[in-house]
Amino acid sequence: MGCFTVGNYLFFLIKQKINYTINNEQSKNEIRSIVQYWIRTLNIKLGRINKFNNIVINYVKHEDVRFSADGRKIVSASYDQTVRIWDVSSGKQLQIFRGHTDSVFTARFSPNGHVVVSCSGDGTIRFWDINTGTEVMKLEKNFDKVLDVDISPDGRYIVSGFRDNIIRLWDLHSGIEIGQLLGHSKGVLNTQFSPNGKMIVSSSYDKTVNLWSVESGEILKQFKEHSDGVMRARFSPDGKCIVSCSSDNTIRIWNIETGKELNILKEHINCVNDVNYFPDGQTIVSCSNDNTIQLWNVESGNRIQILKGHSRSVKCVNISQNGNIIASGSNDCKIRIWGLS
């Protein structure tokens, strides 16, 4: 929808609301929401992103940052062996979880927001109760380093990637291992459930991206175009595509059904550490050892904007579910919050 059409439609909606319910407070709020929605949509398309200068969290080197479902909190995983929860609006630390004895690589909220799951170089996966601030479960069987972990959309299962090349599936409530996915020849850097929970995508130092069936444990497709280790691979919001990023400095978009590469994005000049889709599926955000965060148009493959602010490698990037805020973590010991202007 073009800007002219959007403007006319927006004007029509506001005019209708004013004509019928000009003094109704609920209608005023609805008008405000409509205006904000279209402003956000147009700003994303035009690449108007600025950082909130007052929201810079000073901390240690970060491996992962993730938003809560409501976008009000961030959970971070760090080299200092801790998991921490932060308030997005103020940047203040709300909670800290201690127990890991090595770097924490990933931490994320459960779908219901009551639990945080984390994994570490100490070979453990730990579950933390947000309400009590305590560790409620630990998975530990003399494992190698656990490099990534994800929770299924229904909150029943977790999937984890290990340095020993194995992907393990677990029942979240019992902590029992229910399966292994075997196919990578080197350490598994990333695992993620599809939006419908029926598939898993994984990426590895072996330069491949694998697509798995959760039910059968078999590889459905393998994507091999990267020339170096694949740092991350993520599903699109509709589950029809995968985006991956690599130490070969590229980002690649793949069609799941055909297995074909749809686009390759090459503007980063160093290893691309993380990549994510915006909730609308039309924009991608990436971060790199070149110290930048970059936004891309999915359809054209064109870079929309570069976000600069970190002074060292940017290790992780995440987007709030409403698409309004980006969080990034870096080796410069800062978490930065970026918002639409």
Side-chain angles (χ1 to χ4, degrees):
M1 184 177 288
C3 293
F4 180 76
T5 304
V6 169
N8 284 345
Y9 180 59
L10 179 59
F11 176 77
F12 170 76
L13 289 174
I14 295 174
K15 183 178 179 181
Q16 291 296 102
K17 280 290 181 183
I18 291 174
N19 285 342
Y20 291 106
T21 52
I22 191 168
N23 294 318
N24 185 287
E25 186 62 32
Q26 181 179 355
S27 296
K28 293 179 183 177
N29 291 334
E30 290 176 4
I31 293 171
R32 188 179 298 111
S33 296
I34 293 169
V35 172
Q36 290 174 345
Y37 169 79
W38 286 114
I39 288 174
R40 287 196 300 268
T41 301
L42 293 174
N43 277 340
I44 289 175
K45 290 180 178 179
L46 296 173
R48 293 175 181 165
I49 302 285
N50 289 318
K51 69 176 185 294
F52 292 137
N53 292 315
N54 60 323
I55 308 297
V56 179
I57 301 169
N58 293 293
Y59 188 33
V60 295
K61 293 180 180 180
H62 301 85
E63 281 295 304
D64 194 29
V65 290
R66 297 294 176 110
F67 281 98
S68 59
D70 61 11
R72 295 180 180 179
K73 293 184 246 184
I74 290 171
V75 63
S76 66
S78 175
Y79 276 86
D80 74 349
Q81 306 175 14
T82 68
V83 177
R84 302 180 189 233
I85 296 178
W86 311 85
D87 179 73
V88 170
S89 61
S90 67
K92 292 182 179 179
Q93 179 180 299
L94 301 176
Q95 285 178 290
I96 181 171
F97 303 115
R98 301 182 187 274
H100 284 295
T101 58
D102 202 338
S103 299
V104 186
F105 297 127
T106 300
R108 63 196 59 198
F109 292 98
S110 62
N112 64 16
H114 297 157
V115 173
V116 165
V117 61
S118 59
C119 66
S120 167
D122 65 11
T124 69
I125 299 169
R126 298 173 190 249
F127 300 82
W128 315 88
D129 187 296
I130 294 176
N131 295 323
T132 64
T134 59
E135 181 183 303
V136 293
M137 185 164 60
K138 178 173 67 173
L139 307 181
E140 182 179 30
K141 296 181 181 178
N142 297 318
F143 292 141
D144 202 342
K145 291 186 177 183
V146 193
L147 302 180
D148 196 27
V149 65
D150 191 36
I151 306 175
S152 62
D154 61 9
R156 296 176 59 191
Y157 307 106
I158 64 171
V159 60
S160 52
F162 288 75
R163 193 176 64 172
D164 64 5
N165 315 345
I166 298 174
I167 298 169
R168 291 178 168 89
L169 285 169
W170 314 81
D171 180 277
L172 190 149
H173 300 292
S174 68
I176 296 174
E177 183 180 323
I178 58 175
Q180 295 185 0
L181 307 181
L182 305 175
H184 283 296
S185 60
K186 291 185 179 180
V188 181
L189 289 164
N190 168 231
T191 56
Q192 185 195 23
F193 282 99
S194 61
N196 64 9
K198 295 182 178 181
M199 295 181 290
I200 289 169
V201 66
S202 62
S203 66
S204 168
Y205 284 118
D206 66 11
K207 308 178 187 178
T208 69
V209 175
N210 286 350
L211 183 68
W212 309 81
S213 165
V214 172
E215 183 177 0
S216 68
E218 296 178 351
I219 295 177
L220 301 175
K221 285 188 174 65
Q222 190 172 64
F223 308 95
K224 297 182 176 181
E225 295 301 319
H226 283 294
S227 60
D228 207 337
V230 187
M231 306 303 292
R232 293 289 184 268
R234 313 285 194 196
F235 284 101
S236 61
D238 62 8
K240 295 180 179 180
C241 295
I242 289 168
V243 63
S244 58
C245 63
S246 169
S247 296
D248 66 11
N249 305 352
T250 70
I251 300 164
R252 296 170 189 263
I253 302 173
W254 315 85
N255 181 284
I256 288 176
E257 184 177 356
T258 66
K260 292 183 178 180
E261 182 181 292
L262 299 177
N263 221 327
I264 179 170
L265 316 178
K266 296 182 176 180
E267 297 292 341
H268 282 294
I269 58 174
N270 209 324
C271 172
V272 188
N273 292 311
D274 201 0
V275 64
N276 275 283
Y277 279 92
F278 272 73
D280 64 2
Q282 302 303 307
T283 308
I284 286 171
V285 62
S286 60
C287 65
S288 167
N289 284 352
D290 63 16
N291 304 353
T292 70
I293 298 164
Q294 300 192 17
L295 277 73
W296 311 81
N297 180 279
V298 171
E299 185 176 357
S300 68
N302 293 330
R303 184 172 62 189
I304 298 171
Q305 191 173 4
I306 304 176
L307 306 183
K308 296 182 179 180
H310 286 294
S311 59
R312 296 189 66 185
S313 300
V314 190
K315 302 294 290 185
C316 49
V317 64
N318 196 235
I319 307 159
S320 61
Q321 288 193 11
N322 62 11
N324 286 349
I325 307 172
I326 296 170
S328 57
S330 167
N331 282 353
D332 66 8
C333 302
K334 290 180 172 62
I335 295 173
R336 289 184 178 266
I337 310 297
W338 315 74
L340 290 176
S341 63

